[in-house]
Amino acid sequence: MLFKNIDILDENFDYIKNCHIGIDGEKIDYIGKELPDKNYGRVYNGTGKLLMPGLVNAHSHVPMTLLRGYAENMKLQDWLTKRIFPFEAKMTAEDIYNGSMLGFAEMVRFGIVSTTDMYFMDEYIAKAAMDAQIKCNLSIGTTSSGDKGYYDLPVFEENNSLIKNYHNKENGRIKIDLSLHAEYTSNEKTVSQLAEFAQKSNVRMHIHLSETKQENEQCKQRHNMTPAKYFYTNGIFNVPTTAAHCIWLEDEDYDILKENNVTAACCPVSNLKLASGFCNAPKLYNKGINVALGTDGAASNNNLNIFEDLKIFALIYKASFNDPTVITPKQAIMSATKNGAISQGRDDCGAIKVGNKSDIIVLDIDKPWMTPNHNILNNIVYSAQGSDVVFTMVDGRVLYEDGEYYSIDIEKAIYNANMSAKFILSKL
Amino acid sequence: MLFKNIDILDENFDYIKNCHIGIDGEKIDYIGKELPDKNYGRVYNGTGKLLMPGLVNAHSHVPMTLLRGYAENMKLQDWLTKRIFPFEAKMTAEDIYNGSMLGFAEMVRFGIVSTTDMYFMDEYIAKAAMDAQIKCNLSIGTTSSGDKGYYDLPVFEENNSLIKNYHNKENGRIKIDLSLHAEYTSNEKTVSQLAEFAQKSNVRMHIHLSETKQENEQCKQRHNMTPAKYFYTNGIFNVPTTAAHCIWLEDEDYDILKENNVTAACCPVSNLKLASGFCNAPKLYNKGINVALGTDGAASNNNLNIFEDLKIFALIYKASFNDPTVITPKQAIMSATKNGAISQGRDDCGAIKVGNKSDIIVLDIDKPWMTPNHNILNNIVYSAQGSDVVFTMVDGRVLYEDGEYYSIDIEKAIYNANMSAKFILSKL
């Protein structure tokens, strides 16, 4: 496939007008101002369009689409115990698949090509991801309690089986990570066992870190150290780790994250909705930490349109740190693309570069709200709509184009998700 | 026109499934569960759709679309003096018209049926509004200095001429308000003269109020009172007033606003972008003040998709006041519709009610991100996209439907705005 006369964000996320991009199989094969000699097959007319890397969602709970709008304007504890946990306890394998498929539909429609997920019954998320042909780093949120819809330790069998059956499958699109749900849902033995298991299995780690003030305070009471220090001490950061939220980090924690190459996955919308607080994203950047961007689950967002997260991410730290210069549009866009790919261990993804996987999206920039084009990076972050995505490609395959979903039966996905939600409600 | 089998938000903003709505001329003529006997002409199939009041933008500077993305990540003073004011100083009447038409295109596409605007050369905004067939309360941002792109006093001739030629014209769609730009851009004589003029002319008032901390502090130094107290003392609130921002109000100010029926027009996105602060919207509601919602200008937003403002409005006070229960979806939706109409003096607009003006929008709710429908109010506020608007009607006229603009030549509007922006830049 050849994208002809299209504006792009290049590998440095600079704006280059009027390029030609050749796709060969799963890879970006050519980027240039001159038309290539090679015949790439289908020609895409890029006039009025922008080609950029597909977006990477660094923290999701994709089957939670079934809970969208179900629990609102509630305190965190009520939200969890009265609404989320009882609903989740009734979810079957089929519901997990249906909720995932609905979530993947939203993702590809809004330009997400890959997501780092934490949930349970991951086999059925994997099956949905394989069908949707999207990229996923999947993990089971491990807890010690086993009473919150997450799996108990030492149920390592399920992880072993996931790794054996799904890790690096589908041309590497599916990866299995391990996940320690959070400090407050696990004991020290679980944490250190899971850390060892991750090292032995050579897989990545995905955790919730310092999401609430209470979490930090209670951890310090229990262990006399912050959650970051506690995870570090127990070996969690011995493998590359994605830590969601990172709101209540203390000074030393930033150094721990930096020294251990931990990615901070910021989830600004979820943090606002649950009143968790404002993470210090400017400080994360200043410390040189890899900052990525996540939607979190649909129950606390309530959609998977990461363009909204991108805008809010670029905005809220200005007000909360009283400085309109913090978080540049380029920083924000890189966090929503390349930095997310790095956090997933996908170094050949997340940027428009010859040899990289062809995970790309096309935006229609010939829209009133994208006019005038004084600065395309500003327009992408502050003005663009998720609905401006007119084309989503993963590994060189078209998943979405101009209203058509090519890997998902969209009517069926909506119907099945509605049926699952109704059926779960009928059991509550 | 008859909307058949359509879900609606009724006049109390409750969700009623499967209604029939008859439109006769400019008014809502029938709402019921039974099909009406009367023949309303065209039948609209409402299956999978939601009909709700059109959105009202309570604070805009619509020609500023031309500055979209032009000035980013800058401190307020640099933003104004290095970018905004020099650009505005080069704008011609044609540019004002072109910028307005682009803005109105965005508005009708994203479901805004009416806007309360403050700018300059308002005659050309009025012409664009008449062509676009949108509703507008227009005002010239009056200052005493005359050196910031706003008009000087005692240039009351222009306001007189605007009132004479445009006030209540176009079936009342166009209204002329007076506007005092802000405390810090005017002297006391200007303020009291404008207040008298407004009373004499029997028109409404539109001001910026307590947008920045500095504004409040300097006002107290100059006048020994807060901006709200100062405006009250000088008679500004003798006519119904819309006060944009209201971030740094002090305790007594809330009572002044309440007692004088001043509408607080919250602009959450602009406040984040310029790091102005977080207005205490929960307190405004608790005090019984009419709270409306505004986009502000595209230079500080950077689009006019008020669905984004609606979501962020419902979210940010949760985090900034550390309470996930503040601002209910119904409060937020009413602020974006009925309360805005009230602030404009349009009591027969902003709600789906027999006898009201037919200012309505239709959302396609058969979308992945609107599934499942546990609670439509939650879905509208937290999940819906501006692009889910498939139909926008003002005074019974269709302005937008399924990608077609019926009062605006969209290609021409985009082209002209681009030309205006280029031409202004060439003069800088």
Side-chain angles (χ1 to χ4, degrees), chain B residues 35 62 85 106 111 120 123 141 180-181 201 250 282 288 296 422:
Chain B
L35 269 173
V62 67
F85 292 152
E106 271 187 86
F120 54 91
E123 188 175 346
L180 194 284
H181 174 263
S201 312
E250 300 190 6
D296 209 345
K422 272 183 196 162

Side-chain angles (χ1 to χ4, degrees), chain B residues 26-43:
Chain B
E26 67 186 30
K27 291 195 174 174
I28 299 171
D29 189 61
Y30 176 84
I31 303 171
K33 286 286 205 176
E34 305 295 320
L35 269 173
D37 293 332
K38 190 164 163 181
N39 180 358
Y40 286 101
R42 179 186 168 192
V43 175

Side-chain angles (χ1 to χ4, degrees), chain A residues 319-336:
Chain A
S320 57
F321 296 103
N322 192 28
D323 181 354
T325 69
V326 300
I327 314 284
T328 64
K330 190 185 273 195
Q331 279 179 321
I333 294 171
M334 287 179 71
S335 284

Side-chain angles (χ1 to χ4, degrees), chain A residues 237-266:
Chain A
F237 299 155
N238 288 341
V239 298
T241 299
T242 295
H245 305 304
C246 296
I247 297 172
W248 296 94
L249 298 181
E250 301 191 6
D251 270 352
E252 195 197 356
D253 297 339
Y254 291 88
D255 298 323
I256 292 173
L257 264 53
K258 171 62 186 165
E259 283 159 19
N260 292 278
N261 290 316
V262 175
T263 292
C266 299

Side-chain angles (χ1 to χ4, degrees), chain A residues 172-184:
Chain A
R173 284 197 294 279
I174 311 287
K175 291 183 187 292
I176 303 300
D177 299 344
L178 289 179
S179 167
L180 195 283
H181 174 262
E183 180 277 331
Y184 61 94

